[in-house]
Amino acid sequence: MFDFVIIGGGIIGLLTAKELQKTGAYIAVIEKSSPGQQATWAAGGILSPMRPWHYSEAVNAISSISQPIYQQLSEELHTQTGIDPEWLPSGMLVLNDDDMTRAIDWCQQHKAPNKLLSSEQLNKQFAHLKSFDEPALLRDDVATIRPHKLLAALSLYLEDNGVSFFNGQGAKTLHTQPNQITGVDLDGRTIKAKEYIVCAGAWSSKLIPKDSQKPDITPVKGQMICFPPIDIPNHCMVMDGNRYIIPRKDGRIVVGSTREHTGFDASTTQQAFNELRDFSQQLYPALSNIEPDAHWAGLRPSSPDSIPYICRVDGYNNLSLNAGHYRNGIVTAPASAQLMADIVLANPTRIDPTPYQLTR
Ligand SMILES: Cc1cc2nc3c(=O)[nH]c(=O)nc-3n(C[C@H](O)[C@H](O)[C@H](O)COP(=O)(O)OP(=O)(O)OC[C@H]3O[C@@H](n4cnc5c(N)ncnc54)[C@H](O)[C@@H]3O)c2cc1C
């Protein structure tokens, strides 16, 4: 029997496994495909909410704890596995914010390094972009990571440290007795543990027993495109409305993203491809004669207030949930995993757990 079974091998499931593995626990991760192939694979890897001044304190709290953890985590995984998750202190340029005063106030209140660039400064410092007439906000403390490399490194690290993976096997049902989960059914076998943690992203609600309060988690599709490598004068991310470009270490330029309510359909569309390509070519003229060479989509696990559920599930003394991170699941994952581990280990929690409960 395992100490913990974690259902779902995205960033949330794997970092939760890493936190618990530190205690010497015997852990299994059940993943219906391969680790990190769903929302986590699709993500841009921006290590900040896009506009933290538009998010609740509950989201910003777990984001601000997580951000400084990433550099060290990336170095640790690189050293231990040889796979570089490419943590990059790129900075973020915020254009056309409809609420620049609020943005600057937020940065000052939270002591987040920032500069307001006049259009002259902007056009000089970012001469590779189109010309601007408006000022813009430069956030110096924002970094990026490459999610698929992070997940490849994390999976290898966990395997090397004794975590068991059941890949290609979706959890079908949870066996229940009054107040208790007694096992989880895969195809033709049952896995048993003392504790069960659902980290199944957009699919999490399907796994919670009918007689408990279900989390309100729905899929929201996001499409992205990527350009082949070019010479990049400056690795700073650029945010313009709901669209952004992320320069990678190797010169690739990732462009995102859409927000679509299409259920569990994660297919890509020509319309989104054209919109993202046109946006990036207009913003970054050097991309004009290049065609994107990749296009993908992922399903964000959305909750009504964008705050994840990190809590025990009512009615069961050994079932927990860590899901619903919507647009911020990469940047908030380390603190979400710490909070989940503190709850299931009955340790004092490092932050107030109330905002992350199902009954909030
Ligand atoms: C286009 C896009 C861009 C994004 N950009 C960013 C960004 O820049 N920064 C940021 O912080 N966040 C970003 N996000 C959000 C982020 O990707 C998600 O919040 C995060 O990946 C959620 O992680 P997760 O582990 O909960 O979900 P997932 O990565 O979806 O993992 C859930 C896993 O559970 C598995 N699963 C489901 N059902 C079962 C079952 N029955 N049995 C076993 N396994 C199961 C799935 O196969 C999957 O691997 C972006 C998302 C998208 C789509």
Side-chain angles (χ1 to χ4, degrees), residues 118-198:
S118 66
S119 54
E120 292 76 29
Q121 291 168 317
L122 188 56
N123 291 330
K124 198 168 161 202
Q125 198 171 331
F126 291 89
H128 58 293
L129 300 180
K130 72 174 188 186
S131 174
F132 299 100
D133 301 326
E134 301 281 323
L137 181 69
L138 182 59
R139 297 180 60 207
D140 289 319
D141 61 336
V142 181
T144 56
I145 202 150
R146 271 182 106 159
H148 73 279
K149 294 199 170 185
L150 172 66
L151 263 281
L154 204 44
S155 308
L156 188 55
Y157 174 92
L158 292 172
E159 270 176 31
D160 288 349
N161 284 278
V163 172
S164 301
F165 279 86
F166 295 85
N167 292 335
Q169 303 179 65
K172 303 277 182 239
T173 37
L174 301 180
H175 289 282
T176 60
Q177 275 183 3
N179 305 323
Q180 258 211 331
I181 305 296
T182 55
V184 49
D185 264 357
L186 310 184
D187 278 328
R189 65 193 296 190
T190 302
I191 309 286
K192 289 183 175 289
K194 293 178 192 151
E195 292 268 357
Y196 300 80
I197 308 177
V198 175

Coordinates of all heavy atoms in Angstrom, one line a residue, residues 118-198:
S118 N 9.0 56.1 -21.0 CA 8.3 57.0 -21.9 C 8.4 56.4 -23.3 O 9.2 55.5 -23.6 CB 9.1 58.4 -21.9 OG 10.3 58.2 -22.5
S119 N 7.6 56.9 -24.3 CA 7.6 56.3 -25.6 C 9.0 56.5 -26.2 O 9.5 55.6 -26.9 CB 6.6 56.9 -26.5 OG 6.7 58.3 -26.5
E120 N 9.8 57.6 -25.9 CA 11.1 57.7 -26.4 C 12.0 56.6 -25.9 O 12.8 56.0 -26.6 CB 11.7 59.1 -26.1 CG 11.1 60.3 -26.7 CD 9.7 60.7 -26.1 OE1 9.5 60.4 -24.9 OE2 8.8 61.2 -26.8
Q121 N 12.0 56.4 -24.6 CA 12.8 55.4 -23.9 C 12.5 54.0 -24.5 O 13.3 53.2 -24.8 CB 12.6 55.4 -22.4 CG 13.2 56.6 -21.7 CD 12.7 56.7 -20.3 OE1 11.6 56.5 -20.0 NE2 13.6 57.0 -19.4
L122 N 11.2 53.8 -24.6 CA 10.7 52.5 -25.1 C 11.2 52.2 -26.5 O 11.7 51.1 -26.8 CB 9.1 52.6 -25.1 CG 8.3 51.4 -25.4 CD1 8.6 50.3 -24.4 CD2 6.8 51.8 -25.2
N123 N 11.1 53.2 -27.4 CA 11.5 53.0 -28.8 C 13.0 52.8 -28.9 O 13.5 52.2 -29.8 CB 11.0 54.2 -29.7 CG 9.5 54.2 -29.8 OD1 8.9 53.1 -29.8 ND2 8.9 55.3 -29.9
K124 N 13.8 53.4 -28.0 CA 15.2 53.3 -28.0 C 15.6 51.9 -27.4 O 16.3 51.1 -28.1 CB 15.8 54.3 -27.1 CG 17.3 54.5 -27.4 CD 17.8 55.8 -26.7 CE 19.3 55.7 -26.5 NZ 19.8 56.6 -25.5
Q125 N 15.0 51.5 -26.3 CA 15.4 50.3 -25.6 C 14.8 49.0 -26.3 O 15.4 48.0 -26.3 CB 14.9 50.3 -24.2 CG 15.6 49.3 -23.3 CD 15.2 49.5 -21.8 OE1 14.9 50.7 -21.4 NE2 15.2 48.5 -21.0
F126 N 13.7 49.2 -27.0 CA 13.0 48.1 -27.7 C 12.9 48.4 -29.2 O 11.9 48.3 -29.8 CB 11.7 47.8 -27.1 CG 11.8 47.2 -25.7 CD1 11.8 48.1 -24.6 CD2 11.9 45.9 -25.4 CE1 11.9 47.6 -23.3 CE2 12.0 45.4 -24.1 CZ 12.0 46.2 -23.1
A127 N 14.1 48.8 -29.8 CA 14.1 49.2 -31.2 C 13.7 48.1 -32.1 O 13.3 48.3 -33.3 CB 15.4 49.8 -31.5
H128 N 13.7 46.8 -31.6 CA 13.4 45.7 -32.5 C 11.8 45.5 -32.6 O 11.3 44.8 -33.5 CB 14.0 44.4 -32.0 CG 13.6 44.0 -30.6 ND1 14.0 44.8 -29.5 CD2 12.8 43.0 -30.1 CE1 13.5 44.2 -28.4 NE2 12.8 43.2 -28.7
L129 N 11.1 46.2 -31.8 CA 9.6 46.2 -31.8 C 9.1 47.3 -32.7 O 9.9 48.2 -33.0 CB 9.0 46.3 -30.4 CG 9.4 45.2 -29.4 CD1 8.8 45.4 -28.1 CD2 9.1 43.8 -30.0
K130 N 7.8 47.3 -33.0 CA 7.2 48.4 -33.7 C 7.4 49.7 -32.9 O 7.7 49.7 -31.7 CB 5.7 48.1 -34.0 CG 4.9 48.2 -32.7 CD 3.4 48.1 -33.0 CE 2.6 48.4 -31.8 NZ 1.2 48.2 -31.9
S131 N 7.1 50.9 -33.5 CA 7.3 52.1 -32.8 C 6.0 52.4 -32.0 O 4.9 52.1 -32.4 CB 7.5 53.2 -33.9 OG 7.5 54.4 -33.3
F132 N 6.2 53.0 -30.8 CA 5.1 53.3 -29.8 C 5.0 54.8 -29.6 O 6.0 55.5 -29.5 CB 5.4 52.6 -28.5 CG 5.5 51.1 -28.6 CD1 6.8 50.5 -28.6 CD2 4.4 50.3 -28.7 CE1 6.9 49.1 -28.7 CE2 4.5 48.9 -28.8 CZ 5.8 48.3 -28.8
D133 N 3.7 55.2 -29.3 CA 3.4 56.6 -29.0 C 3.1 56.7 -27.5 O 3.0 57.8 -26.9 CB 2.2 57.1 -29.7 CG 2.4 57.0 -31.2 OD1 3.5 57.2 -31.6 OD2 1.4 56.8 -31.9
E134 N 2.9 55.6 -26.8 CA 2.4 55.6 -25.4 C 3.5 55.1 -24.5 O 4.4 54.3 -25.0 CB 1.2 54.6 -25.3 CG 0.0 54.8 -26.1 CD -0.8 55.9 -25.5 OE1 -0.9 56.0 -24.3 OE2 -1.4 56.7 -26.3
P135 N 3.5 55.5 -23.3 CA 4.5 54.9 -22.3 C 4.2 53.4 -22.0 O 3.0 53.0 -22.3 CB 4.4 55.7 -21.1 CG 3.0 56.4 -21.2 CD 2.7 56.4 -22.6
A136 N 5.1 52.7 -21.4 CA 4.8 51.3 -21.1 C 5.5 51.0 -19.7 O 6.4 51.7 -19.3 CB 5.3 50.4 -22.2
L137 N 5.0 49.9 -19.1 CA 5.6 49.5 -17.8 C 6.5 48.4 -18.0 O 6.2 47.3 -18.6 CB 4.4 49.1 -16.9 CG 4.8 48.7 -15.5 CD1 5.2 49.9 -14.6 CD2 3.6 48.0 -14.8
L138 N 7.8 48.5 -17.4 CA 8.7 47.4 -17.5 C 8.8 46.8 -16.1 O 9.2 47.5 -15.1 CB 10.1 48.0 -17.9 CG 11.2 46.9 -18.1 CD1 10.8 45.9 -19.1 CD2 12.5 47.6 -18.5
R139 N 8.5 45.5 -16.0 CA 8.6 44.8 -14.7 C 9.9 44.0 -14.8 O 10.0 43.0 -15.6 CB 7.4 43.9 -14.5 CG 6.1 44.7 -14.4 CD 4.9 43.7 -14.2 NE 5.0 42.9 -13.0 CZ 4.5 41.7 -12.8 NH1 3.8 41.2 -13.8 NH2 4.7 41.1 -11.7
D140 N 10.9 44.3 -14.0 CA 12.2 43.7 -14.0 C 12.2 42.3 -13.4 O 13.2 41.6 -13.7 CB 13.2 44.6 -13.4 CG 13.5 45.9 -14.2 OD1 13.6 45.8 -15.4 OD2 13.6 46.9 -13.5
D141 N 11.3 42.0 -12.5 CA 11.5 40.8 -11.7 C 10.7 39.6 -12.2 O 10.6 38.6 -11.5 CB 11.0 41.1 -10.2 CG 9.5 41.5 -10.2 OD1 9.0 42.0 -11.3 OD2 8.9 41.3 -9.2
V142 N 10.3 39.7 -13.4 CA 9.5 38.5 -13.9 C 10.4 37.6 -14.8 O 11.2 38.1 -15.6 CB 8.3 39.0 -14.8 CG1 7.5 37.8 -15.3 CG2 7.4 39.9 -14.0
A143 N 10.3 36.3 -14.5 CA 11.1 35.3 -15.2 C 10.2 34.4 -16.0 O 9.0 34.4 -15.9 CB 11.9 34.5 -14.2
T144 N 10.8 33.5 -16.9 CA 10.1 32.5 -17.6 C 10.8 31.1 -17.4 O 12.0 31.1 -17.0 CB 10.0 32.7 -19.1 OG1 11.3 32.9 -19.6 CG2 9.2 34.0 -19.4
I145 N 10.0 30.1 -17.7 CA 10.6 28.7 -17.7 C 10.0 28.0 -18.8 O 9.0 28.4 -19.4 CB 10.3 28.1 -16.3 CG1 11.3 27.0 -16.0 CG2 8.8 27.6 -16.2 CD1 11.5 26.8 -14.5
R146 N 10.6 26.9 -19.3 CA 10.0 26.1 -20.4 C 9.3 24.9 -19.8 O 9.9 23.9 -19.4 CB 11.1 25.7 -21.4 CG 11.3 26.7 -22.4 CD 12.3 26.3 -23.4 NE 11.7 26.0 -24.7 CZ 12.3 26.0 -25.8 NH1 13.6 26.3 -25.9 NH2 11.7 25.6 -26.9
P147 N 8.0 25.0 -19.8 CA 7.2 24.0 -19.0 C 7.5 22.5 -19.5 O 7.6 21.6 -18.6 CB 5.8 24.3 -19.3 CG 5.8 25.8 -19.6 CD 7.1 26.0 -20.3
H148 N 7.7 22.2 -20.8 CA 7.9 20.8 -21.1 C 9.2 20.3 -20.6 O 9.4 19.1 -20.3 CB 7.7 20.6 -22.6 CG 8.7 21.1 -23.5 ND1 8.8 22.4 -23.9 CD2 9.8 20.4 -24.1 CE1 9.9 22.5 -24.7 NE2 10.5 21.4 -24.8
K149 N 10.2 21.2 -20.6 CA 11.5 20.8 -20.0 C 11.5 20.6 -18.5 O 12.1 19.7 -17.9 CB 12.6 21.8 -20.4 CG 12.8 21.8 -21.9 CD 14.1 22.4 -22.3 CE 14.4 22.2 -23.8 NZ 15.7 22.7 -24.1
L150 N 10.7 21.5 -17.9 CA 10.6 21.5 -16.4 C 9.9 20.1 -16.1 O 10.4 19.4 -15.1 CB 9.7 22.6 -16.0 CG 9.2 22.6 -14.5 CD1 10.3 22.8 -13.6 CD2 8.2 23.7 -14.3
L151 N 8.9 19.7 -16.8 CA 8.2 18.5 -16.5 C 9.0 17.2 -16.8 O 9.0 16.3 -16.1 CB 6.9 18.4 -17.3 CG 5.6 18.9 -16.4 CD1 5.2 17.8 -15.5 CD2 5.9 20.1 -15.6
A152 N 9.8 17.3 -17.9 CA 10.7 16.2 -18.2 C 11.7 16.0 -17.1 O 12.0 14.9 -16.6 CB 11.4 16.5 -19.5
A153 N 12.3 17.1 -16.6 CA 13.3 17.0 -15.5 C 12.6 16.5 -14.2 O 13.2 15.7 -13.5 CB 13.9 18.4 -15.3
L154 N 11.4 17.1 -13.9 CA 10.7 16.7 -12.7 C 10.4 15.2 -12.7 O 10.5 14.5 -11.7 CB 9.5 17.6 -12.6 CG 8.8 17.9 -11.3 CD1 9.8 18.3 -10.2 CD2 7.8 19.1 -11.5
S155 N 9.9 14.7 -13.8 CA 9.5 13.3 -13.9 C 10.7 12.4 -13.6 O 10.6 11.4 -12.8 CB 8.9 12.9 -15.2 OG 8.0 13.7 -15.7
L156 N 11.8 12.8 -14.3 CA 13.0 12.0 -14.1 C 13.5 12.0 -12.7 O 13.9 11.0 -12.1 CB 14.1 12.5 -15.1 CG 15.4 11.7 -15.2 CD1 15.1 10.3 -15.6 CD2 16.3 12.4 -16.3
Y157 N 13.5 13.2 -12.1 CA 13.9 13.4 -10.7 C 13.1 12.5 -9.8 O 13.6 11.8 -8.9 CB 13.8 14.9 -10.3 CG 14.1 15.2 -8.9 CD1 15.3 15.5 -8.5 CD2 13.1 15.0 -7.9 CE1 15.6 15.8 -7.1 CE2 13.3 15.3 -6.6 CZ 14.6 15.6 -6.2 OH 14.8 15.9 -4.9
L158 N 11.8 12.5 -10.0 CA 10.9 11.8 -9.1 C 11.1 10.3 -9.3 O 11.2 9.5 -8.3 CB 9.4 12.2 -9.3 CG 9.0 13.6 -8.9 CD1 7.6 13.9 -9.4 CD2 9.1 13.8 -7.4
E159 N 11.2 9.8 -10.5 CA 11.5 8.4 -10.7 C 12.8 8.0 -10.0 O 12.9 7.0 -9.4 CB 11.7 8.1 -12.2 CG 10.3 7.8 -12.9 CD 10.5 7.6 -14.4 OE1 11.6 7.2 -14.9 OE2 9.6 7.9 -15.1
D160 N 13.9 8.8 -10.2 CA 15.2 8.5 -9.6 C 15.0 8.5 -8.0 O 15.9 7.9 -7.4 CB 16.2 9.5 -10.0 CG 16.6 9.4 -11.4 OD1 16.3 8.4 -12.0 OD2 17.3 10.3 -11.9
N161 N 14.0 9.2 -7.5 CA 13.9 9.3 -6.1 C 12.8 8.4 -5.5 O 12.2 8.6 -4.5 CB 13.7 10.7 -5.6 CG 15.1 11.5 -5.7 OD1 15.9 11.4 -4.8 ND2 15.3 12.2 -6.8
G162 N 12.4 7.4 -6.3 CA 11.6 6.3 -5.8 C 10.1 6.5 -6.0 O 9.3 5.7 -5.4
V163 N 9.6 7.5 -6.7 CA 8.2 7.7 -6.9 C 7.8 6.7 -8.0 O 8.5 6.6 -9.0 CB 7.8 9.2 -7.3 CG1 6.4 9.3 -7.7 CG2 8.1 10.1 -6.1
S164 N 6.7 6.0 -7.8 CA 6.2 5.1 -8.8 C 5.2 5.8 -9.8 O 4.3 6.5 -9.3 CB 5.4 3.9 -8.2 OG 6.3 3.2 -7.3
F165 N 5.4 5.6 -11.1 CA 4.5 6.2 -12.1 C 3.7 5.1 -12.7 O 4.2 4.1 -13.2 CB 5.3 6.9 -13.2 CG 5.7 8.3 -12.7 CD1 6.9 8.5 -12.0 CD2 5.0 9.4 -13.0 CE1 7.4 9.7 -11.6 CE2 5.4 10.7 -12.6 CZ 6.6 10.8 -11.9
F166 N 2.3 5.3 -12.8 CA 1.4 4.5 -13.6 C 1.0 5.4 -14.8 O 0.0 6.1 -14.7 CB 0.2 4.0 -12.7 CG 0.6 3.1 -11.6 CD1 1.1 3.7 -10.4 CD2 0.6 1.8 -11.7 CE1 1.4 2.9 -9.3 CE2 1.0 0.9 -10.7 CZ 1.4 1.5 -9.5
N167 N 1.8 5.3 -15.8 CA 1.5 6.2 -17.0 C 0.6 5.5 -18.0 O 0.6 4.2 -18.1 CB 2.7 6.6 -17.7 CG 3.5 7.6 -16.8 OD1 3.0 8.3 -16.0 ND2 4.8 7.7 -17.0
G168 N -0.2 6.3 -18.8 CA -1.1 5.7 -19.8 C -2.2 4.9 -19.2 O -2.9 4.1 -19.8
Q169 N -2.5 5.3 -17.9 CA -3.6 4.5 -17.2 C -4.5 5.6 -16.4 O -4.0 6.1 -15.4 CB -3.1 3.5 -16.2 CG -2.1 2.5 -16.9 CD -1.5 1.6 -15.9 OE1 -2.3 0.8 -15.3 NE2 -0.2 1.6 -15.7
G170 N -5.6 5.9 -17.0 CA -6.5 6.8 -16.3 C -7.2 6.2 -15.1 O -7.6 5.1 -15.1
A171 N -7.3 7.0 -14.0 CA -8.1 6.6 -12.9 C -9.5 6.6 -13.3 O -10.0 7.6 -13.8 CB -7.8 7.6 -11.7
K172 N -10.2 5.4 -13.1 CA -11.6 5.3 -13.5 C -12.5 5.8 -12.4 O -13.3 6.7 -12.5 CB -11.9 3.9 -13.9 CG -11.1 3.3 -15.0 CD -11.6 3.8 -16.4 CE -10.7 3.2 -17.4 NZ -10.0 4.1 -18.3
T173 N -12.5 5.1 -11.3 CA -13.4 5.4 -10.2 C -12.6 5.3 -8.8 O -11.6 4.5 -8.8 CB -14.6 4.5 -10.0 OG1 -14.1 3.1 -10.3 CG2 -15.7 4.8 -10.9
L174 N -13.1 6.0 -7.9 CA -12.5 5.9 -6.5 C -13.5 5.0 -5.8 O -14.7 5.2 -5.8 CB -12.4 7.3 -5.9 CG -11.6 8.3 -6.5 CD1 -11.6 9.6 -5.7 CD2 -10.1 7.8 -6.7
H175 N -12.9 4.0 -5.1 CA -13.8 3.1 -4.2 C -14.0 3.8 -2.9 O -13.1 4.3 -2.3 CB -13.0 1.8 -3.9 CG -12.9 0.9 -5.1 ND1 -14.0 0.1 -5.5 CD2 -11.9 0.6 -5.9 CE1 -13.6 -0.6 -6.6 NE2 -12.3 -0.3 -6.8
T176 N -15.3 3.9 -2.5 CA -15.6 4.6 -1.3 C -16.3 3.7 -0.3 O -17.0 2.7 -0.6 CB -16.6 5.7 -1.6 OG1 -17.8 5.2 -2.1 CG2 -16.0 6.7 -2.6
Q177 N -16.0 4.0 1.0 CA -16.7 3.5 2.1 C -17.1 4.7 2.9 O -16.5 5.8 2.7 CB -15.7 2.6 3.0 CG -15.6 1.2 2.5 CD -14.8 0.4 3.4 OE1 -14.3 0.9 4.4 NE2 -14.6 -0.9 3.1
P178 N -18.0 4.6 3.9 CA -18.3 5.8 4.7 C -17.0 6.5 5.1 O -16.1 5.8 5.7 CB -19.1 5.3 5.8 CG -19.7 4.1 5.3 CD -18.7 3.5 4.4
N179 N -16.9 7.8 4.8 CA -15.7 8.6 5.2 C -14.4 8.3 4.6 O -13.4 8.9 5.0 CB -15.6 8.7 6.8 CG -16.8 9.0 7.4 OD1 -17.5 9.9 6.9 ND2 -17.1 8.4 8.6
Q180 N -14.3 7.3 3.7 CA -13.0 6.9 3.3 C -12.9 6.5 1.9 O -13.9 5.9 1.3 CB -12.6 5.6 4.1 CG -11.7 5.9 5.2 CD -10.8 4.7 5.5 OE1 -11.3 3.5 5.2 NE2 -9.6 4.9 6.0
I181 N -11.8 6.7 1.2 CA -11.5 6.2 -0.1 C -10.7 4.9 0.2 O -9.7 5.0 1.0 CB -10.7 7.2 -1.0 CG1 -11.4 8.5 -1.1 CG2 -10.4 6.5 -2.4 CD1 -12.8 8.4 -1.8
T182 N -11.0 3.8 -0.5 CA -10.3 2.6 -0.2 C -9.4 2.1 -1.4 O -8.7 1.1 -1.3 CB -11.3 1.4 0.2 OG1 -12.2 1.3 -0.8 CG2 -12.0 1.8 1.5
G183 N -9.6 2.8 -2.5 CA -8.8 2.3 -3.7 C -9.1 3.1 -4.9 O -10.2 3.8 -4.9
V184 N -8.3 3.1 -5.9 CA -8.6 3.7 -7.2 C -8.4 2.7 -8.3 O -7.4 2.0 -8.3 CB -7.8 5.0 -7.4 CG1 -6.3 4.8 -7.2 CG2 -8.0 5.6 -8.8
D185 N -9.5 2.6 -9.1 CA -9.5 1.7 -10.2 C -8.8 2.2 -11.4 O -9.1 3.3 -11.9 CB -10.9 1.4 -10.6 CG -11.5 0.1 -9.9 OD1 -10.7 -0.5 -9.2 OD2 -12.7 -0.2 -10.1
L186 N -7.8 1.4 -11.9 CA -7.2 1.7 -13.3 C -7.8 0.6 -14.1 O -8.7 -0.2 -13.7 CB -5.7 1.6 -13.3 CG -5.0 2.4 -12.2 CD1 -3.5 2.3 -12.4 CD2 -5.4 3.8 -12.2
D187 N -7.4 0.5 -15.4 CA -7.9 -0.6 -16.2 C -7.5 -2.0 -15.6 O -6.3 -2.3 -15.6 CB -7.4 -0.5 -17.6 CG -8.2 0.4 -18.4 OD1 -9.4 0.5 -18.2 OD2 -7.6 1.1 -19.3
G188 N -8.4 -2.7 -15.0 CA -8.1 -4.0 -14.6 C -7.3 -4.2 -13.3 O -6.8 -5.2 -12.9
R189 N -7.0 -3.1 -12.6 CA -6.3 -3.2 -11.3 C -6.7 -2.1 -10.3 O -7.2 -1.0 -10.8 CB -4.8 -3.2 -11.4 CG -4.2 -1.9 -12.0 CD -2.8 -2.1 -12.4 NE -1.9 -2.4 -11.4 CZ -0.6 -2.4 -11.5 NH1 0.0 -2.1 -12.6 NH2 0.2 -2.7 -10.5
T190 N -6.5 -2.3 -9.0 CA -6.9 -1.3 -8.0 C -5.6 -0.9 -7.3 O -4.8 -1.8 -6.9 CB -7.9 -1.9 -7.0 OG1 -9.0 -2.3 -7.8 CG2 -8.3 -0.9 -6.0
I191 N -5.4 0.4 -7.2 CA -4.2 0.9 -6.4 C -4.7 1.4 -5.1 O -5.7 2.1 -5.0 CB -3.5 2.0 -7.2 CG1 -3.2 1.7 -8.6 CG2 -2.3 2.5 -6.5 CD1 -2.1 0.7 -8.8
K192 N -4.0 1.0 -4.0 CA -4.5 1.4 -2.7 C -3.4 2.3 -2.0 O -2.2 2.1 -2.2 CB -4.7 0.2 -1.8 CG -5.9 -0.6 -2.3 CD -6.1 -1.8 -1.3 CE -7.4 -2.5 -1.7 NZ -8.6 -1.8 -1.4
A193 N -3.9 3.2 -1.2 CA -3.0 4.2 -0.5 C -3.7 4.6 0.8 O -4.9 4.4 1.0 CB -2.7 5.4 -1.4
K194 N -2.9 5.2 1.7 CA -3.5 5.8 2.9 C -4.3 7.1 2.5 O -5.3 7.4 3.1 CB -2.5 6.1 3.9 CG -1.8 4.8 4.4 CD -0.7 5.1 5.4 CE 0.1 3.9 5.7 NZ 1.5 4.2 6.1
E195 N -3.7 7.9 1.6 CA -4.3 9.2 1.2 C -4.3 9.3 -0.3 O -3.4 8.8 -1.0 CB -3.3 10.3 1.7 CG -3.3 10.5 3.2 CD -4.3 11.5 3.7 OE1 -5.0 12.1 2.9 OE2 -4.4 11.6 4.9
Y196 N -5.3 10.0 -0.8 CA -5.5 10.2 -2.3 C -5.6 11.7 -2.6 O -6.4 12.4 -1.9 CB -6.8 9.5 -2.7 CG -6.8 8.0 -2.5 CD1 -7.1 7.5 -1.2 CD2 -6.5 7.1 -3.5 CE1 -7.1 6.1 -0.9 CE2 -6.4 5.7 -3.2 CZ -6.7 5.2 -1.9 OH -6.7 3.9 -1.6
I197 N -4.9 12.1 -3.6 CA -4.9 13.6 -3.9 C -5.2 13.7 -5.4 O -4.5 13.2 -6.2 CB -3.5 14.2 -3.6 CG1 -3.1 13.9 -2.1 CG2 -3.6 15.8 -3.8 CD1 -1.8 14.5 -1.7
V198 N -6.3 14.4 -5.7 CA -6.7 14.6 -7.1 C -6.0 15.9 -7.6 O -6.3 17.0 -7.1 CB -8.2 14.7 -7.2 CG1 -8.6 15.1 -8.6 CG2 -8.9 13.4 -6.7

